[in-house]
Amino acid sequence: MLPLYCFNTNNVVCLFVLLWFQQSLGPRSRGSFRSLRRSVGLVQSADENTTIELTGRDRPGLLSEVFAVLADLKCNVAAAEVWTHNSRMASVVYITDEATGAPIDDPDRLGKIKQLLLYVLKGDRDRRSANTAVSVGSTHKDRRLHQMMYADRDYDVEEDVEEENGNRPLVTVENCLEKGYTVVNLRCGDRPKLLFDTVCTLTDMQYVVYHATIIAEGPEAYQEYYIRHIDGSPISSEAERQRVINCLEAAIKRRTSEGIRLELCCEDRVGLLSDVTRIFRENGLAVSRAEVTTRGDQAVNAFYVTDASGHPSVKTETIEAVRKEIGLAVLRVKEEAYSSSPPAQEHGKFSLGNLFRTRSEKFLYNLGLIKSCT
């Protein structure tokens, strides 16, 4: 289990937060991970929606095609979350029947939805769609997306999309033989939910975190984990060590928001997402990440858009043309309050134990909230 002395320099993690982590990362979530089977899955969620899970090869216009199919099939999208990474896409979409607002439970209709979405996902290029996922039961949305992308092996870096070292998180994995642990050190740009993302990944890979130190200083975050397999053994091979590095790098970058954030707030209606994403596609914009929610009768959505080649720099005139077509008052450009790109780093071995301790860290250390395994 994750110990009580994990911390942030500004806030000591409270007990109820750790209990929530335990519930989110516990055996039930592991069980749902083992149930992954198909490319498109539909299950009944606890909040009176039908949940669709999609994974496949990302391409410009894919999200537009998915929402268009759902609109044609008289499905209303109540909420959705979409992540893209390393040319792969994963999404969790909550739908209801357009006419009644009720969950969709007719097997024939669900089968048709599933078949048509599968055609869209496969396209002409996706050779890995047979490895994508179905979830059974209601799970934490972000938790589920990590599981889906991990099952889809988005951590397998393709040579043509591998980034320069300066834009990658720094992750080192070394065995501490005298203690019987594997020590994972991580350094990258700080952002919300970074701790959640890294712990989710270690849990999905069947590791147990015994000790941890978390530091957030300015724009950077430092994390150190002492881990073992669930059977109590440390990492035993170079191939496994490299896989842990690749998986943690992927976990950090899945939620990294590249592109321009566009916020849409207006009265919700059936087909809204199909129309909006179609306009994006027609203007040469690709969606790298999306957060779709409905609050009462209002649609509150956020889209991170890039150009069709995936570059985050988009011409101002293109954005303004899209805003004019959708509505200047309802679609706004949002500047992020924090940098989504990791700062430049020196690559090599490092350890949190060698970092200078700030006064706040010393205070937590003296209270016994931070513990050392050395």
Side-chain angles (χ1 to χ4, degrees):
M1 61 176 286
L2 194 66
L4 295 181
Y5 42 84
C6 283
F7 76 100
N8 181 288
T9 51
N10 297 318
N11 298 286
V12 177
V13 179
C14 298
L15 177 60
F16 73 89
V17 176
L18 293 174
L19 291 175
W20 179 83
F21 260 107
Q22 285 181 323
Q23 292 174 354
S24 297
L25 304 177
R28 182 174 57 182
S29 60
R30 287 196 188 118
S32 64
F33 176 68
R34 294 193 186 99
S35 68
L36 306 182
R37 291 293 183 272
R38 301 185 186 88
S39 298
V40 182
L42 298 99
V43 298
Q44 206 64 36
S45 71
D47 55 356
E48 300 305 316
N49 295 306
T50 299
T51 304
I52 306 176
E53 297 179 351
L54 309 171
T55 52
R57 185 177 183 87
D58 188 33
R59 66 177 187 273
L62 177 59
L63 194 60
S64 173
E65 295 176 36
V66 167
F67 287 141
V69 166
L70 293 174
D72 288 344
L73 294 174
K74 307 301 181 183
C75 301
N76 179 53
V77 178
E81 182 102 9
V82 181
W83 290 0
T84 63
H85 173 250
N86 191 19
S87 78
R88 307 301 297 175
M89 182 279 297
S91 64
V92 176
V93 185
Y94 302 103
I95 64 170
T96 58
D97 179 72
E98 174 186 320
T100 66
I104 300 172
D105 54 11
D106 177 64
D108 293 336
R109 186 177 179 187
L110 291 179
K112 184 177 181 181
I113 293 171
K114 185 174 177 178
Q115 183 181 38
L116 291 178
L117 288 176
L118 185 57
Y119 289 152
V120 169
L121 287 176
K122 283 187 174 181
D124 298 325
R125 301 175 60 194
D126 194 354
R127 300 173 182 176
R128 287 166 48 183
S129 60
N131 295 326
T132 54
V134 167
S135 168
V136 178
S138 178
T139 59
H140 188 283
K141 183 170 54 179
D142 291 358
R143 178 89 173 95
R144 190 74 193 108
L145 285 165
H146 275 299
Q147 292 176 330
M148 292 164 63
M149 297 207 85
Y150 177 68
D152 198 33
R153 300 179 66 89
D154 73 314
Y155 53 85
D156 284 341
V157 180
E158 298 180 6
E159 291 183 1
D160 58 336
V161 298
E162 187 172 4
E163 298 170 290
E164 296 180 0
N165 286 342
N167 293 325
R168 294 175 60 183
L170 175 55
V171 181
T172 64
V173 178
E174 303 291 340
N175 278 341
C176 180
L177 297 178
E178 63 273 19
K179 298 289 185 178
Y181 293 110
T182 294
V183 183
V184 177
N185 279 287
L186 184 152
R187 177 183 175 187
C188 65
D190 193 22
R191 61 164 174 76
K193 299 188 179 181
L194 178 63
L195 176 62
F196 177 89
D197 294 340
T198 52
V199 174
C200 275
T201 298
L202 291 171
T203 302
D204 284 341
M205 298 182 74
Q206 304 295 299
Y207 295 110
V208 178
V209 177
Y210 287 85
H211 309 281
T213 302
I214 313 298
I215 301 173
E217 293 290 346
E220 285 194 316
Y222 306 87
Q223 299 180 5
E224 182 175 68
Y225 299 103
Y226 283 72
I227 66 171
R228 290 173 179 159
H229 285 287
I230 55 176
D231 64 4
S233 63
I235 288 176
S236 58
S237 69
E238 174 59 25
E240 183 184 4
R241 188 187 74 86
Q242 189 59 52
R243 190 167 73 98
V244 171
I245 292 174
N246 291 345
C247 288
L248 286 172
E249 288 181 353
I252 294 166
K253 296 191 69 61
R254 286 169 193 153
R255 204 195 294 268
T256 298
S257 304
E258 295 184 348
I260 297 174
R261 179 181 169 105
L262 300 178
E263 295 185 347
L264 177 73
C265 185
C266 63
E267 184 175 353
D268 191 29
R269 61 174 174 81
V270 174
L272 173 64
L273 291 170
S274 176
D275 293 340
V276 169
T277 52
R278 173 183 53 79
I279 293 171
F280 288 165
R281 184 191 70 226
E282 291 173 350
N283 284 272
L285 298 180
V287 178
S288 63
R289 185 177 156 215
E291 303 167 3
V292 175
T293 56
T294 304
R295 300 173 185 171
D297 60 353
Q298 292 290 303
V300 183
N301 307 329
F303 303 93
Y304 292 85
V305 297
T306 66
D307 66 16
S309 300
H311 298 299
S313 298
V314 180
K315 294 180 179 179
T316 303
E317 51 266 33
T318 301
I319 297 297
E320 290 307 306
V322 169
R323 292 186 63 218
K324 288 178 182 178
E325 189 168 354
I326 295 175
L328 294 175
V330 299
L331 185 66
R332 299 182 180 181
V333 179
K334 176 69 174 180
E335 295 294 335
E336 290 288 64
Y338 60 93
S339 173
S340 61
S341 299
Q345 303 156 352
E346 295 180 3
H347 281 249
K349 295 182 180 180
F350 73 100
S351 172
L352 288 177
N354 296 326
L355 293 174
F356 176 77
R357 292 187 181 275
T358 64
R359 282 183 293 178
S360 58
E361 185 187 351
K362 287 180 179 178
F363 177 71
L364 292 171
Y365 185 85
N366 291 335
L367 286 177
L369 295 172
I370 313 169
K371 295 186 179 180
S372 172
C373 298
T374 57

